[in-house]
């Protein structure tokens, strides 16, 4: 382990200096709703405590939540809604893989598991959690079933925002809302079970009843959110597509590969290259950044590491910002949406996707990672 990792890992002192510099204003409460100053911008944040289970049960007592699709988000949100005691049913293709997965999770055919069309007709709130490509493919069949008095719910702004490409144009005579967890459905579920809760955004596309915003916030809490902040459909999809292609997945993977390859090309062993690139980052430094912030990391590391980071982060920023600008433009113009729809609508897309993922699995860096993880104390 390097000096920076030893220093950061052993840092147990409270982040007093960092806390003193934070620009979070004191909380002001109105019915539990809090206004927080995020770096000079005041936002309203709704918390799970604002919507305790008894309030959710009362609010949705006359509703049937028809959750369509049982992929990652469908699984997490559906089970959380069920555990919260709400009347939720699942709609998927009968006898397909999702149907069988739902049965394994305790959903009962004819009771709370139905074919898609039957579920939509039974639901007062239709939660469209099909994949983006599937939403586009099934929209013509689904739309006529979205009669007045129903509510249409999304967890991603993809389909309605890029309706020229997806052909998903929500009805204008019903409430259309969004609650978007900032993580996978598996995380939505695991954090709920831990009694914590993921953070989510909410948005309103149509407000016919005058209650769409309140409904969106309540549903965001009901699916397992710890706190909820406001966005728009457009901002949600643009930031989501941008983020997952950038720092969350694509960008960080590319940076890992570049650093690893340079180390290997300069004579470093696979284990050393992996430890200095991935293991130290994910096991020592990133958790501290997540817990205390990057400014804390600068405070906690060695003077040598601090000097190098201060010198080099502007260089990386200047080199990468044009790439991020290109990426954001590609998202905003719909180019990324078109690429996604074109690929994911192909009949053999699963086989093609598996081939690409297998290439990643076979990369030396991730093969080395399998062996390094076996050496962690918790795995021995």
């Amino acid at each position: 382990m390097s000096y920076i990792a030893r220093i950061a890992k052993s840092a147990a002192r409270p982040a007093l200096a960092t806390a003193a510099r934070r620009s979070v204003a004191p909380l002001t409460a109105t019915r539990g709703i809090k206004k927080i100053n995020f770096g000079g911008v005041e936002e309203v944040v709704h918390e799970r405590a604002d919507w305790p289970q008894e309030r959710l049960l009362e609010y949705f007592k006359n509703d049937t939540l028809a959750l369509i699709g049982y992929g990652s988000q469908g699984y997490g949100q559906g089970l959380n809604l069920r555990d919260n005691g709400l009347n939720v049913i699942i709609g998927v293709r009968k006898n397909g893989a999702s149907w069988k997965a739902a049965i394994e999770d305790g959903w009962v055919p004819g009771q709370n598991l139905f074919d898609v069309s039957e579920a939509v007709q039974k639901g007062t709130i239709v939660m469209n959690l099909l994949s983006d490509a599937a939403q586009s493919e099934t929209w013509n069949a689904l739309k006529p079933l979205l009669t007045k008095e129903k509510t249409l719910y999304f967890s991603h702004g993809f389909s309605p925002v890029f309706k020229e490409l997806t052909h998903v144009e929500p009805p204008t005579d019903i409430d259309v809302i969004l609650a978007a967890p900032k993580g996978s459905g598996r995380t939505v579920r695991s954090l709920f079970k831990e009694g914590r809760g993921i953070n989510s955004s909410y948005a309103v596309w149509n407000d016919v009843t005058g209650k769409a915003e309140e409904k969106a916030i309540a549903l965001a809490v009901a699916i397992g959110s710890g706190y909820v902040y406001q966005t728009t459909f457009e901002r949600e999809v643009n930031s989501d597509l941008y983020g997952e292609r950038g720092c969350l997945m694509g960008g960080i993977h590319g940076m890992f590969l570049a650093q690893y390859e340079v180390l290997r090309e300069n004579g470093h062993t696979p284990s050393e290259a992996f430890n200095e690139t991935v293991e130290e980052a994910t096991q020592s430094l990133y958790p501290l950044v997540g817990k205390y912030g990057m400014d804390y990391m600068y405070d906690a590391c060695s003077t040598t590491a601090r000097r190098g980071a201060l010198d080099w982060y502007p260089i990386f920023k200047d080199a990468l910002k044009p790439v991020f600008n290109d990426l954001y433009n590609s998202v905003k113009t719909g180019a990324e949406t078109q690429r996604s729809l074109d690929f994911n609508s192909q009949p053999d897309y699963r086989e093609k996707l598996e081939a690409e993922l297998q290439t990643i699995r076979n990369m030396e860096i991730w093969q080395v990672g399998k062996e390094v993880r076996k050496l962690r104390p918790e795995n021995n």
Side-chain angles (χ1 to χ4, degrees):
M1 182 184 293
S2 72
Y3 183 68
I4 180 176
R6 289 197 300 272
I7 293 293
K9 194 170 185 178
S10 64
R13 63 175 177 83
L16 297 178
T18 299
R21 289 193 298 271
R22 287 177 182 156
S23 59
V24 177
L27 301 180
T28 60
T30 303
R31 293 194 309 105
I33 298 173
K34 298 172 175 62
K35 291 184 178 180
I36 300 180
N37 189 306
F38 292 98
V41 179
E42 191 174 80
E43 297 184 44
V44 173
V45 174
H46 304 266
E47 297 183 312
R48 180 167 52 188
D50 305 333
W51 286 87
Q53 187 178 25
E54 57 270 21
R55 186 181 179 193
L56 290 173
L57 291 172
E58 174 64 23
Y59 190 81
F60 292 112
K61 65 181 180 181
N62 297 321
D63 284 304
T64 297
L65 281 63
L67 192 154
I68 309 305
Y70 202 68
S72 174
Q73 285 295 335
Y75 154 86
Q77 295 188 33
L79 292 178
N80 291 353
L81 289 167
R82 189 174 73 182
D83 285 355
N84 269 328
L86 302 187
N87 181 24
V88 56
I89 61 176
I90 302 297
V92 291
R93 182 170 57 86
K94 193 171 183 178
N95 296 323
S98 294
W99 179 275
K100 295 173 183 176
I103 291 176
E104 290 177 3
D105 288 336
W107 302 94
V108 181
Q111 180 178 320
N112 52 22
L113 177 61
F114 302 93
D115 184 75
V116 171
S117 60
E118 187 174 0
V120 173
Q121 292 176 68
K122 289 178 176 291
T124 58
I125 299 176
V126 178
M127 306 175 70
N128 193 341
L129 297 183
L130 294 167
S131 69
D132 295 325
Q135 288 186 19
S136 179
E137 293 167 0
T138 60
W139 183 247
N140 286 338
L142 185 64
K143 186 175 181 179
L145 304 177
L146 297 172
T147 53
K148 286 185 177 181
E149 309 304 326
K150 292 185 186 290
T151 295
L152 178 60
Y153 165 105
F154 295 95
S155 277
H156 194 16
F158 186 99
S159 292
V161 170
F162 295 109
K163 56 183 179 293
E164 293 82 5
L165 301 174
T166 64
H167 308 296
V168 175
E169 190 161 0
T172 59
D173 58 351
I174 64 174
D175 287 349
V176 180
I177 59 177
L178 172 148
K182 301 297 105 177
S184 73
R186 299 287 164 178
T187 307
V188 171
R189 180 61 176 161
S190 64
L191 291 180
F192 176 84
K193 291 171 68 176
E194 292 171 14
R196 296 162 62 191
I198 199 164
N199 69 82
S200 301
S201 58
Y202 77 91
V204 174
W205 183 271
N206 284 343
D207 184 5
V208 174
T209 65
K211 298 179 179 179
E213 181 176 16
E214 183 180 56
K215 203 182 308 180
I217 296 167
L219 274 172
V221 173
I223 64 172
S225 304
Y227 74 86
V228 187
Y229 60 92
Q230 188 176 34
T231 187
T232 65
F233 274 65
E234 291 82 1
R235 293 202 332 251
E236 189 282 329
V237 67
N238 287 342
S239 60
D240 185 81
L241 295 181
Y242 174 72
E244 64 197 14
R245 285 154 175 76
C247 290
L248 301 181
M249 293 176 66
I252 198 67
H253 188 196
M255 193 165 74
F256 279 158
L257 289 174
Q259 178 167 309
Y260 180 88
E261 289 176 3
V262 168
L263 286 170
R264 292 288 287 124
E265 290 161 5
N266 281 274
H268 296 269
T269 64
S271 63
E272 183 174 52
F274 185 86
N275 279 315
E276 292 295 336
T277 299
V278 179
E279 192 75 353
E280 186 172 336
T282 59
Q283 300 303 299
S284 178
L285 304 186
Y286 290 176
L288 288 178
V289 173
K291 189 172 184 180
Y292 298 119
M294 184 63 75
D295 52 345
Y296 174 84
M297 181 54 60
Y298 277 96
D299 289 340
C301 72
S302 71
T303 56
T304 300
R306 185 186 305 147
R307 181 69 265 148
L310 290 170
D311 289 343
W312 277 90
Y313 89 78
I315 298 172
F316 276 106
K317 191 204 79 169
D318 290 344
L320 290 171
K321 192 168 181 181
V323 178
F324 277 95
N325 274 323
D326 288 345
L327 170 57
Y328 192 82
N329 288 333
S330 185
V331 168
K332 191 172 182 178
T333 61
E336 293 300 308
T337 295
Q338 188 66 65
R339 284 170 54 82
S340 178
L341 291 172
D342 288 346
F343 180 84
N344 294 328
S345 61
Q346 295 177 36
D348 60 344
Y349 90 94
R350 292 185 185 277
E351 291 81 1
K352 291 180 177 178
L353 176 62
E354 177 58 29
E356 290 186 272
L357 294 176
Q358 192 60 39
T359 298
I360 293 176
R361 295 187 194 105
N362 291 335
M363 288 178 178
E364 182 185 273
I365 183 174
W366 305 121
Q367 290 293 316
V368 173
K370 288 182 180 179
E371 300 306 313
V372 171
R373 286 192 292 274
K374 293 177 184 177
L375 300 175
R376 294 176 186 168
E378 66 268 23
N379 294 329
N380 289 317

